[in-house]
PDB file of all heavy atoms in Angstrom:
ATOM      1  N   GLY D  71      -4.849   6.643   9.123  1.00  0.00           N
ATOM      2  CA  GLY D  71      -3.856   7.580   8.607  1.00  0.00           C
ATOM      3  C   GLY D  71      -2.757   6.945   7.783  1.00  0.00           C
ATOM      4  O   GLY D  71      -2.656   5.729   7.660  1.00  0.00           O
ATOM      5  N   ARG D  72      -1.910   7.819   7.215  1.00  0.00           N
ATOM      6  CA  ARG D  72      -0.839   7.372   6.337  1.00  0.00           C
ATOM      7  C   ARG D  72       0.379   6.945   7.131  1.00  0.00           C
ATOM      8  O   ARG D  72       0.827   7.662   8.039  1.00  0.00           O
ATOM      9  CB  ARG D  72      -0.427   8.508   5.382  1.00  0.00           C
ATOM     10  CG  ARG D  72      -1.387   8.722   4.261  1.00  0.00           C
ATOM     11  CD  ARG D  72      -0.901   9.685   3.199  1.00  0.00           C
ATOM     12  NE  ARG D  72       0.394  10.259   3.369  1.00  0.00           N
ATOM     13  CZ  ARG D  72       0.665  11.565   3.273  1.00  0.00           C
ATOM     14  NH1 ARG D  72      -0.314  12.419   3.058  1.00  0.00           N
ATOM     15  NH2 ARG D  72       1.887  12.016   3.403  1.00  0.00           N
ATOM     16  N   PRO D  73       0.990   5.808   6.774  1.00  0.00           N
ATOM     17  CA  PRO D  73       2.163   5.324   7.505  1.00  0.00           C
ATOM     18  C   PRO D  73       3.399   6.199   7.367  1.00  0.00           C
ATOM     19  O   PRO D  73       4.334   6.054   8.151  1.00  0.00           O
ATOM     20  CB  PRO D  73       2.416   3.941   6.882  1.00  0.00           C
ATOM     21  CG  PRO D  73       1.107   3.523   6.320  1.00  0.00           C
ATOM     22  CD  PRO D  73       0.477   4.785   5.839  1.00  0.00           C
ATOM     23  N   ASP D  74       3.436   7.090   6.366  1.00  0.00           N
ATOM     24  CA  ASP D  74       4.616   7.942   6.193  1.00  0.00           C
ATOM     25  C   ASP D  74       4.530   9.222   7.008  1.00  0.00           C
ATOM     26  O   ASP D  74       5.474  10.011   7.015  1.00  0.00           O
ATOM     27  CB  ASP D  74       4.787   8.303   4.710  1.00  0.00           C
ATOM     28  CG  ASP D  74       3.619   9.112   4.171  1.00  0.00           C
ATOM     29  OD1 ASP D  74       2.457   8.744   4.463  1.00  0.00           O
ATOM     30  OD2 ASP D  74       3.858  10.095   3.453  1.00  0.00           O
ATOM     31  N   MET D  75       3.424   9.440   7.728  1.00  0.00           N
ATOM     32  CA  MET D  75       3.265  10.662   8.492  1.00  0.00           C
ATOM     33  C   MET D  75       3.648  10.465   9.951  1.00  0.00           C
ATOM     34  O   MET D  75       3.610   9.345  10.483  1.00  0.00           O
ATOM     35  CB  MET D  75       1.829  11.175   8.379  1.00  0.00           C
ATOM     36  CG  MET D  75       1.466  11.588   6.954  1.00  0.00           C
ATOM     37  SD  MET D  75      -0.175  12.333   6.824  1.00  0.00           S
ATOM     38  CE  MET D  75       0.112  13.912   7.640  1.00  0.00           C
ATOM     39  N   ALA D  76       4.009  11.559  10.608  1.00  0.00           N
ATOM     40  CA  ALA D  76       4.575  11.491  11.957  1.00  0.00           C
ATOM     41  C   ALA D  76       3.695  10.749  12.975  1.00  0.00           C
ATOM     42  O   ALA D  76       4.219   9.902  13.720  1.00  0.00           O
ATOM     43  CB  ALA D  76       4.898  12.896  12.461  1.00  0.00           C
ATOM     44  N   PRO D  77       2.388  11.009  13.074  1.00  0.00           N
ATOM     45  CA  PRO D  77       1.607  10.299  14.091  1.00  0.00           C
ATOM     46  C   PRO D  77       1.705   8.782  13.957  1.00  0.00           C
ATOM     47  O   PRO D  77       1.852   8.062  14.957  1.00  0.00           O
ATOM     48  CB  PRO D  77       0.174  10.786  13.839  1.00  0.00           C
ATOM     49  CG  PRO D  77       0.351  12.129  13.227  1.00  0.00           C
ATOM     50  CD  PRO D  77       1.565  12.013  12.361  1.00  0.00           C
ATOM     51  N   PHE D  78       1.645   8.294  12.717  1.00  0.00           N
ATOM     52  CA  PHE D  78       1.702   6.855  12.458  1.00  0.00           C
ATOM     53  C   PHE D  78       3.101   6.323  12.760  1.00  0.00           C
ATOM     54  O   PHE D  78       3.271   5.312  13.454  1.00  0.00           O
ATOM     55  CB  PHE D  78       1.354   6.612  10.986  1.00  0.00           C
ATOM     56  CG  PHE D  78       0.855   5.232  10.676  1.00  0.00           C
ATOM     57  CD1 PHE D  78      -0.473   5.035  10.334  1.00  0.00           C
ATOM     58  CD2 PHE D  78       1.703   4.138  10.689  1.00  0.00           C
ATOM     59  CE1 PHE D  78      -0.952   3.765  10.020  1.00  0.00           C
ATOM     60  CE2 PHE D  78       1.238   2.873  10.374  1.00  0.00           C
ATOM     61  CZ  PHE D  78      -0.083   2.687  10.039  1.00  0.00           C
ATOM     62  N   LYS D  79       4.133   7.008  12.243  1.00  0.00           N
ATOM     63  CA  LYS D  79       5.505   6.551  12.448  1.00  0.00           C
ATOM     64  C   LYS D  79       5.884   6.572  13.928  1.00  0.00           C
ATOM     65  O   LYS D  79       6.531   5.638  14.419  1.00  0.00           O
ATOM     66  CB  LYS D  79       6.482   7.421  11.652  1.00  0.00           C
ATOM     67  CG  LYS D  79       6.386   7.250  10.151  1.00  0.00           C
ATOM     68  CD  LYS D  79       7.588   7.821   9.428  1.00  0.00           C
ATOM     69  CE  LYS D  79       7.714   9.302   9.590  1.00  0.00           C
ATOM     70  NZ  LYS D  79       8.822   9.859   8.785  1.00  0.00           N
ATOM     71  N   PHE D  80       5.493   7.630  14.618  1.00  0.00           N
ATOM     72  CA  PHE D  80       5.822   7.734  16.047  1.00  0.00           C
ATOM     73  C   PHE D  80       5.130   6.632  16.841  1.00  0.00           C
ATOM     74  O   PHE D  80       5.755   5.994  17.719  1.00  0.00           O
ATOM     75  CB  PHE D  80       5.392   9.097  16.586  1.00  0.00           C
ATOM     76  CG  PHE D  80       6.221  10.256  16.097  1.00  0.00           C
ATOM     77  CD1 PHE D  80       5.864  11.562  16.426  1.00  0.00           C
ATOM     78  CD2 PHE D  80       7.346  10.063  15.315  1.00  0.00           C
ATOM     79  CE1 PHE D  80       6.620  12.643  15.986  1.00  0.00           C
ATOM     80  CE2 PHE D  80       8.111  11.138  14.856  1.00  0.00           C
ATOM     81  CZ  PHE D  80       7.739  12.433  15.204  1.00  0.00           C
ATOM     82  N   THR D  81       3.856   6.392  16.552  1.00  0.00           N
ATOM     83  CA  THR D  81       3.119   5.366  17.286  1.00  0.00           C
ATOM     84  C   THR D  81       3.735   3.986  17.080  1.00  0.00           C
ATOM     85  O   THR D  81       3.938   3.224  18.052  1.00  0.00           O
ATOM     86  CB  THR D  81       1.649   5.367  16.845  1.00  0.00           C
ATOM     87  OG1 THR D  81       1.061   6.625  17.173  1.00  0.00           O
ATOM     88  CG2 THR D  81       0.859   4.250  17.513  1.00  0.00           C
ATOM     89  N   ARG D  82       4.047   3.676  15.848  1.00  0.00           N
ATOM     90  CA  ARG D  82       4.656   2.382  15.550  1.00  0.00           C
ATOM     91  C   ARG D  82       5.977   2.212  16.284  1.00  0.00           C
ATOM     92  O   ARG D  82       6.248   1.155  16.876  1.00  0.00           O
ATOM     93  CB  ARG D  82       4.853   2.250  14.041  1.00  0.00           C
ATOM     94  CG  ARG D  82       5.469   0.915  13.597  1.00  0.00           C
ATOM     95  CD  ARG D  82       5.379   0.777  12.084  1.00  0.00           C
ATOM     96  NE  ARG D  82       5.924   1.953  11.401  1.00  0.00           N
ATOM     97  CZ  ARG D  82       5.668   2.277  10.145  1.00  0.00           C
ATOM     98  NH1 ARG D  82       4.830   1.547   9.420  1.00  0.00           N
ATOM     99  NH2 ARG D  82       6.210   3.343   9.596  1.00  0.00           N
ATOM    100  N   ALA D  83       6.815   3.246  16.267  1.00  0.00           N
ATOM    101  CA  ALA D  83       8.133   3.154  16.896  1.00  0.00           C
ATOM    102  C   ALA D  83       8.022   3.073  18.425  1.00  0.00           C
ATOM    103  O   ALA D  83       8.735   2.283  19.061  1.00  0.00           O
ATOM    104  CB  ALA D  83       8.976   4.353  16.499  1.00  0.00           C
ATOM    105  N   ILE D  84       7.152   3.858  19.011  1.00  0.00           N
ATOM    106  CA  ILE D  84       7.000   3.838  20.463  1.00  0.00           C
ATOM    107  C   ILE D  84       6.551   2.460  20.929  1.00  0.00           C
ATOM    108  O   ILE D  84       7.088   1.904  21.908  1.00  0.00           O
ATOM    109  CB  ILE D  84       6.009   4.929  20.921  1.00  0.00           C
ATOM    110  CG1 ILE D  84       6.606   6.328  20.676  1.00  0.00           C
ATOM    111  CG2 ILE D  84       5.645   4.753  22.393  1.00  0.00           C
ATOM    112  CD1 ILE D  84       5.610   7.461  20.869  1.00  0.00           C
ATOM    113  N   LEU D  85       5.596   1.869  20.245  1.00  0.00           N
ATOM    114  CA  LEU D  85       5.115   0.532  20.623  1.00  0.00           C
ATOM    115  C   LEU D  85       6.180  -0.534  20.431  1.00  0.00           C
ATOM    116  O   LEU D  85       6.205  -1.544  21.149  1.00  0.00           O
ATOM    117  CB  LEU D  85       3.858   0.185  19.838  1.00  0.00           C
ATOM    118  CG  LEU D  85       2.597   0.953  20.211  1.00  0.00           C
ATOM    119  CD1 LEU D  85       1.455   0.633  19.241  1.00  0.00           C
ATOM    120  CD2 LEU D  85       2.164   0.622  21.644  1.00  0.00           C
ATOM    121  N   ALA D  86       7.074  -0.301  19.470  1.00  0.00           N
ATOM    122  CA  ALA D  86       8.158  -1.266  19.204  1.00  0.00           C
ATOM    123  C   ALA D  86       9.378  -1.008  20.067  1.00  0.00           C
ATOM    124  O   ALA D  86      10.366  -1.757  19.986  1.00  0.00           O
ATOM    125  CB  ALA D  86       8.537  -1.216  17.725  1.00  0.00           C
ATOM    126  N   GLY D  87       9.350   0.047  20.871  1.00  0.00           N
ATOM    127  CA  GLY D  87      10.497   0.378  21.703  1.00  0.00           C
ATOM    128  C   GLY D  87      11.664   0.941  20.909  1.00  0.00           C
ATOM    129  O   GLY D  87      12.825   0.842  21.345  1.00  0.00           O
ATOM    130  N   GLU D  88      11.372   1.546  19.790  1.00  0.00           N
ATOM    131  CA  GLU D  88      12.422   2.098  18.929  1.00  0.00           C
ATOM    132  C   GLU D  88      12.442   3.624  19.044  1.00  0.00           C
ATOM    133  O   GLU D  88      11.421   4.252  19.323  1.00  0.00           O
ATOM    134  CB  GLU D  88      12.162   1.714  17.470  1.00  0.00           C
ATOM    135  CG  GLU D  88      12.163   0.201  17.230  1.00  0.00           C
ATOM    136  CD  GLU D  88      11.673  -0.154  15.840  1.00  0.00           C
ATOM    137  OE1 GLU D  88      11.185   0.772  15.139  1.00  0.00           O
ATOM    138  OE2 GLU D  88      11.761  -1.342  15.473  1.00  0.00           O
ATOM    139  N   PRO D  89      13.618   4.245  18.828  1.00  0.00           N
ATOM    140  CA  PRO D  89      13.679   5.709  18.889  1.00  0.00           C
ATOM    141  C   PRO D  89      12.956   6.340  17.709  1.00  0.00           C
ATOM    142  O   PRO D  89      12.801   5.730  16.645  1.00  0.00           O
ATOM    143  CB  PRO D  89      15.193   5.997  18.818  1.00  0.00           C
ATOM    144  CG  PRO D  89      15.776   4.804  18.134  1.00  0.00           C
ATOM    145  CD  PRO D  89      14.933   3.635  18.555  1.00  0.00           C
ATOM    146  N   ILE D  90      12.488   7.567  17.898  1.00  0.00           N
ATOM    147  CA  ILE D  90      11.823   8.294  16.823  1.00  0.00           C
ATOM    148  C   ILE D  90      12.667   9.513  16.454  1.00  0.00           C
ATOM    149  O   ILE D  90      13.240  10.175  17.322  1.00  0.00           O
ATOM    150  CB  ILE D  90      10.393   8.717  17.219  1.00  0.00           C
ATOM    151  CG1 ILE D  90      10.385   9.626  18.450  1.00  0.00           C
ATOM    152  CG2 ILE D  90       9.522   7.507  17.460  1.00  0.00           C
ATOM    153  CD1 ILE D  90       9.008  10.142  18.825  1.00  0.00           C
ATOM    154  N   ASP D  91      12.758   9.781  15.163  1.00  0.00           N
ATOM    155  CA  ASP D  91      13.457  10.964  14.683  1.00  0.00           C
ATOM    156  C   ASP D  91      12.551  12.182  14.841  1.00  0.00           C
ATOM    157  O   ASP D  91      11.431  12.210  14.313  1.00  0.00           O
ATOM    158  CB  ASP D  91      13.853  10.815  13.213  1.00  0.00           C
ATOM    159  CG  ASP D  91      14.960   9.786  13.009  1.00  0.00           C
ATOM    160  OD1 ASP D  91      15.749   9.569  13.943  1.00  0.00           O
ATOM    161  OD2 ASP D  91      15.018   9.203  11.918  1.00  0.00           O
ATOM    162  N   VAL D  92      13.044  13.181  15.563  1.00  0.00           N
ATOM    163  CA  VAL D  92      12.276  14.392  15.821  1.00  0.00           C
ATOM    164  C   VAL D  92      13.039  15.565  15.221  1.00  0.00           C
ATOM    165  O   VAL D  92      14.065  15.993  15.751  1.00  0.00           O
ATOM    166  CB  VAL D  92      12.041  14.604  17.334  1.00  0.00           C
ATOM    167  CG1 VAL D  92      11.209  15.859  17.576  1.00  0.00           C
ATOM    168  CG2 VAL D  92      11.379  13.388  17.950  1.00  0.00           C
ATOM    169  N   TYR D  93      12.545  16.073  14.105  1.00  0.00           N
ATOM    170  CA  TYR D  93      13.261  17.118  13.380  1.00  0.00           C
ATOM    171  C   TYR D  93      13.033  18.491  14.010  1.00  0.00           C
ATOM    172  O   TYR D  93      12.049  18.725  14.710  1.00  0.00           O
ATOM    173  CB  TYR D  93      12.843  17.117  11.909  1.00  0.00           C
ATOM    174  CG  TYR D  93      13.269  15.850  11.205  1.00  0.00           C
ATOM    175  CD1 TYR D  93      12.376  14.792  11.031  1.00  0.00           C
ATOM    176  CD2 TYR D  93      14.574  15.693  10.753  1.00  0.00           C
ATOM    177  CE1 TYR D  93      12.785  13.609  10.403  1.00  0.00           C
ATOM    178  CE2 TYR D  93      14.986  14.524  10.116  1.00  0.00           C
ATOM    179  CZ  TYR D  93      14.079  13.493   9.947  1.00  0.00           C
ATOM    180  OH  TYR D  93      14.479  12.332   9.336  1.00  0.00           O
ATOM    181  N   ASN D  94      13.985  19.385  13.750  1.00  0.00           N
ATOM    182  CA  ASN D  94      13.982  20.727  14.341  1.00  0.00           C
ATOM    183  C   ASN D  94      13.941  20.642  15.863  1.00  0.00           C
ATOM    184  O   ASN D  94      13.443  21.553  16.525  1.00  0.00           O
ATOM    185  CB  ASN D  94      12.801  21.553  13.805  1.00  0.00           C
ATOM    186  CG  ASN D  94      12.968  23.043  14.048  1.00  0.00           C
ATOM    187  OD1 ASN D  94      14.086  23.550  14.085  1.00  0.00           O
ATOM    188  ND2 ASN D  94      11.869  23.742  14.231  1.00  0.00           N
ATOM    189  N   HIS D  95      14.457  19.519  16.388  1.00  0.00           N
ATOM    190  CA  HIS D  95      14.496  19.274  17.840  1.00  0.00           C
ATOM    191  C   HIS D  95      13.108  19.368  18.471  1.00  0.00           C
ATOM    192  O   HIS D  95      12.983  19.601  19.666  1.00  0.00           O
ATOM    193  CB  HIS D  95      15.476  20.241  18.516  1.00  0.00           C
ATOM    194  CG  HIS D  95      16.879  20.149  17.978  1.00  0.00           C
ATOM    195  ND1 HIS D  95      17.773  19.176  18.385  1.00  0.00           N
ATOM    196  CD2 HIS D  95      17.520  20.873  17.027  1.00  0.00           C
ATOM    197  CE1 HIS D  95      18.919  19.323  17.725  1.00  0.00           C
ATOM    198  NE2 HIS D  95      18.790  20.341  16.894  1.00  0.00           N
ATOM    199  N   GLY D  96      12.077  19.194  17.633  1.00  0.00           N
ATOM    200  CA  GLY D  96      10.704  19.172  18.139  1.00  0.00           C
ATOM    201  C   GLY D  96      10.124  20.526  18.459  1.00  0.00           C
ATOM    202  O   GLY D  96       9.040  20.619  19.029  1.00  0.00           O
ATOM    203  N   HIS D  97      10.809  21.608  18.061  1.00  0.00           N
ATOM    204  CA  HIS D  97      10.366  22.942  18.473  1.00  0.00           C
ATOM    205  C   HIS D  97       9.387  23.595  17.509  1.00  0.00           C
ATOM    206  O   HIS D  97       8.814  24.629  17.837  1.00  0.00           O
ATOM    207  CB  HIS D  97      11.581  23.857  18.669  1.00  0.00           C
ATOM    208  CG  HIS D  97      12.491  23.421  19.782  1.00  0.00           C
ATOM    209  ND1 HIS D  97      12.012  23.115  21.040  1.00  0.00           N
ATOM    210  CD2 HIS D  97      13.826  23.221  19.820  1.00  0.00           C
ATOM    211  CE1 HIS D  97      13.028  22.748  21.814  1.00  0.00           C
ATOM    212  NE2 HIS D  97      14.136  22.798  21.084  1.00  0.00           N
ATOM    213  N   HIS D  98       9.214  23.047  16.326  1.00  0.00           N
ATOM    214  CA  HIS D  98       8.267  23.676  15.411  1.00  0.00           C
ATOM    215  C   HIS D  98       6.826  23.312  15.798  1.00  0.00           C
ATOM    216  O   HIS D  98       6.587  22.307  16.469  1.00  0.00           O
ATOM    217  CB  HIS D  98       8.543  23.297  13.956  1.00  0.00           C
ATOM    218  CG  HIS D  98       8.551  21.828  13.680  1.00  0.00           C
ATOM    219  ND1 HIS D  98       9.685  21.066  13.759  1.00  0.00           N
ATOM    220  CD2 HIS D  98       7.557  20.985  13.334  1.00  0.00           C
ATOM    221  CE1 HIS D  98       9.391  19.811  13.466  1.00  0.00           C
ATOM    222  NE2 HIS D  98       8.103  19.734  13.204  1.00  0.00           N
ATOM    223  N   GLN D  99       5.903  24.135  15.359  1.00  0.00           N
ATOM    224  CA  GLN D  99       4.484  23.926  15.646  1.00  0.00           C
ATOM    225  C   GLN D  99       3.737  23.561  14.374  1.00  0.00           C
ATOM    226  O   GLN D  99       4.051  24.057  13.296  1.00  0.00           O
ATOM    227  CB  GLN D  99       3.863  25.188  16.252  1.00  0.00           C
ATOM    228  CG  GLN D  99       4.478  25.594  17.580  1.00  0.00           C
ATOM    229  CD  GLN D  99       3.729  26.761  18.199  1.00  0.00           C
ATOM    230  OE1 GLN D  99       2.494  26.745  18.292  1.00  0.00           O
ATOM    231  NE2 GLN D  99       4.445  27.767  18.619  1.00  0.00           N
ATOM    232  N   ARG D 100       2.759  22.681  14.527  1.00  0.00           N
ATOM    233  CA  ARG D 100       1.929  22.279  13.404  1.00  0.00           C
ATOM    234  C   ARG D 100       0.452  22.432  13.783  1.00  0.00           C
ATOM    235  O   ARG D 100       0.060  22.154  14.918  1.00  0.00           O
ATOM    236  CB  ARG D 100       2.213  20.819  13.008  1.00  0.00           C
ATOM    237  CG  ARG D 100       3.558  20.598  12.356  1.00  0.00           C
ATOM    238  CD  ARG D 100       3.594  21.200  10.968  1.00  0.00           C
ATOM    239  NE  ARG D 100       4.895  21.026  10.308  1.00  0.00           N
ATOM    240  CZ  ARG D 100       5.867  21.928  10.350  1.00  0.00           C
ATOM    241  NH1 ARG D 100       5.699  23.048  11.016  1.00  0.00           N
ATOM    242  NH2 ARG D 100       7.001  21.711   9.705  1.00  0.00           N
ATOM    243  N   ASP D 101      -0.325  22.835  12.792  1.00  0.00           N
ATOM    244  CA  ASP D 101      -1.764  22.997  12.981  1.00  0.00           C
ATOM    245  C   ASP D 101      -2.432  21.653  12.672  1.00  0.00           C
ATOM    246  O   ASP D 101      -3.023  21.468  11.606  1.00  0.00           O
ATOM    247  CB  ASP D 101      -2.274  24.099  12.060  1.00  0.00           C
ATOM    248  CG  ASP D 101      -3.640  24.619  12.472  1.00  0.00           C
ATOM    249  OD1 ASP D 101      -4.302  23.949  13.289  1.00  0.00           O
ATOM    250  OD2 ASP D 101      -4.048  25.684  11.976  1.00  0.00           O
ATOM    251  N   PHE D 102      -2.323  20.717  13.609  1.00  0.00           N
ATOM    252  CA  PHE D 102      -2.890  19.378  13.419  1.00  0.00           C
ATOM    253  C   PHE D 102      -4.405  19.476  13.274  1.00  0.00           C
ATOM    254  O   PHE D 102      -5.087  20.059  14.114  1.00  0.00           O
ATOM    255  CB  PHE D 102      -2.535  18.478  14.605  1.00  0.00           C
ATOM    256  CG  PHE D 102      -1.086  18.079  14.661  1.00  0.00           C
ATOM    257  CD1 PHE D 102      -0.182  18.777  15.461  1.00  0.00           C
ATOM    258  CD2 PHE D 102      -0.617  17.016  13.908  1.00  0.00           C
ATOM    259  CE1 PHE D 102       1.152  18.392  15.522  1.00  0.00           C
ATOM    260  CE2 PHE D 102       0.716  16.631  13.952  1.00  0.00           C
ATOM    261  CZ  PHE D 102       1.609  17.331  14.761  1.00  0.00           C
ATOM    262  N   THR D 103      -4.931  18.852  12.206  1.00  0.00           N
ATOM    263  CA  THR D 103      -6.359  18.939  11.896  1.00  0.00           C
ATOM    264  C   THR D 103      -6.931  17.539  11.750  1.00  0.00           C
ATOM    265  O   THR D 103      -6.450  16.748  10.934  1.00  0.00           O
ATOM    266  CB  THR D 103      -6.561  19.747  10.599  1.00  0.00           C
ATOM    267  OG1 THR D 103      -5.863  20.989  10.700  1.00  0.00           O
ATOM    268  CG2 THR D 103      -8.032  20.014  10.359  1.00  0.00           C
ATOM    269  N   PHE D 104      -7.952  17.244  12.531  1.00  0.00           N
ATOM    270  CA  PHE D 104      -8.514  15.900  12.588  1.00  0.00           C
ATOM    271  C   PHE D 104      -9.230  15.565  11.287  1.00  0.00           C
ATOM    272  O   PHE D 104      -9.964  16.376  10.720  1.00  0.00           O
ATOM    273  CB  PHE D 104      -9.474  15.775  13.765  1.00  0.00           C
ATOM    274  CG  PHE D 104      -9.849  14.361  14.092  1.00  0.00           C
ATOM    275  CD1 PHE D 104      -8.893  13.428  14.477  1.00  0.00           C
ATOM    276  CD2 PHE D 104     -11.170  13.946  14.011  1.00  0.00           C
ATOM    277  CE1 PHE D 104      -9.237  12.125  14.784  1.00  0.00           C
ATOM    278  CE2 PHE D 104     -11.527  12.647  14.319  1.00  0.00           C
ATOM    279  CZ  PHE D 104     -10.551  11.734  14.707  1.00  0.00           C
ATOM    280  N   VAL D 105      -9.037  14.337  10.818  1.00  0.00           N
ATOM    281  CA  VAL D 105      -9.494  13.963   9.479  1.00  0.00           C
ATOM    282  C   VAL D 105     -11.003  14.027   9.315  1.00  0.00           C
ATOM    283  O   VAL D 105     -11.500  14.361   8.229  1.00  0.00           O
ATOM    284  CB  VAL D 105      -8.944  12.567   9.098  1.00  0.00           C
ATOM    285  CG1 VAL D 105      -9.582  11.479   9.975  1.00  0.00           C
ATOM    286  CG2 VAL D 105      -9.140  12.279   7.620  1.00  0.00           C
ATOM    287  N   ALA D 106     -11.760  13.750  10.361  1.00  0.00           N
ATOM    288  CA  ALA D 106     -13.226  13.838  10.240  1.00  0.00           C
ATOM    289  C   ALA D 106     -13.661  15.283   9.978  1.00  0.00           C
ATOM    290  O   ALA D 106     -14.618  15.528   9.237  1.00  0.00           O
ATOM    291  CB  ALA D 106     -13.898  13.302  11.489  1.00  0.00           C
ATOM    292  N   ASP D 107     -12.946  16.241  10.574  1.00  0.00           N
ATOM    293  CA  ASP D 107     -13.245  17.652  10.327  1.00  0.00           C
ATOM    294  C   ASP D 107     -12.903  18.025   8.887  1.00  0.00           C
ATOM    295  O   ASP D 107     -13.605  18.821   8.259  1.00  0.00           O
ATOM    296  CB  ASP D 107     -12.451  18.529  11.288  1.00  0.00           C
ATOM    297  CG  ASP D 107     -12.911  18.424  12.727  1.00  0.00           C
ATOM    298  OD1 ASP D 107     -14.058  17.966  12.943  1.00  0.00           O
ATOM    299  OD2 ASP D 107     -12.142  18.787  13.626  1.00  0.00           O
ATOM    300  N   VAL D 108     -11.816  17.466   8.379  1.00  0.00           N
ATOM    301  CA  VAL D 108     -11.432  17.728   7.003  1.00  0.00           C
ATOM    302  C   VAL D 108     -12.474  17.166   6.043  1.00  0.00           C
ATOM    303  O   VAL D 108     -12.894  17.834   5.095  1.00  0.00           O
ATOM    304  CB  VAL D 108     -10.037  17.126   6.715  1.00  0.00           C
ATOM    305  CG1 VAL D 108      -9.700  17.188   5.224  1.00  0.00           C
ATOM    306  CG2 VAL D 108      -8.972  17.836   7.540  1.00  0.00           C
ATOM    307  N   ALA D 109     -12.910  15.928   6.284  1.00  0.00           N
ATOM    308  CA  ALA D 109     -13.916  15.306   5.417  1.00  0.00           C
ATOM    309  C   ALA D 109     -15.214  16.112   5.424  1.00  0.00           C
ATOM    310  O   ALA D 109     -15.836  16.317   4.378  1.00  0.00           O
ATOM    311  CB  ALA D 109     -14.168  13.873   5.851  1.00  0.00           C
ATOM    312  N   GLU D 110     -15.633  16.550   6.588  1.00  0.00           N
ATOM    313  CA  GLU D 110     -16.844  17.359   6.677  1.00  0.00           C
ATOM    314  C   GLU D 110     -16.696  18.647   5.873  1.00  0.00           C
ATOM    315  O   GLU D 110     -17.625  19.067   5.157  1.00  0.00           O
ATOM    316  CB  GLU D 110     -17.150  17.694   8.139  1.00  0.00           C
ATOM    317  CG  GLU D 110     -18.419  18.497   8.363  1.00  0.00           C
ATOM    318  CD  GLU D 110     -19.683  17.727   8.031  1.00  0.00           C
ATOM    319  OE1 GLU D 110     -19.661  16.472   8.074  1.00  0.00           O
ATOM    320  OE2 GLU D 110     -20.711  18.377   7.737  1.00  0.00           O
TER     321      GLU D 110
END
């Protein structure tokens, strides 16, 4: 995945012990779609 997207940024920060910025206080919903499904 892309380093500028939330899954990548969050994973990097969590492993580094750094805080993550969570916009809209984390209350919005996203229709996360797995990349293999997109490619298919």
Side-chain angles (χ1 to χ4, degrees):
R72 284 189 0 230
D74 63 315
M75 295 185 71
F78 203 110
K79 291 196 296 185
F80 289 174
T81 297
R82 181 169 52 199
I84 292 170
L85 289 173
E88 299 170 352
I90 60 176
D91 290 334
V92 181
Y93 294 97
N94 197 30
H95 302 279
H97 296 310
H98 56 270
Q99 298 186 49
R100 290 289 179 267
D101 197 345
F102 288 97
T103 309
F104 193 61
V105 67
D107 291 341
V108 171
E110 182 67 24

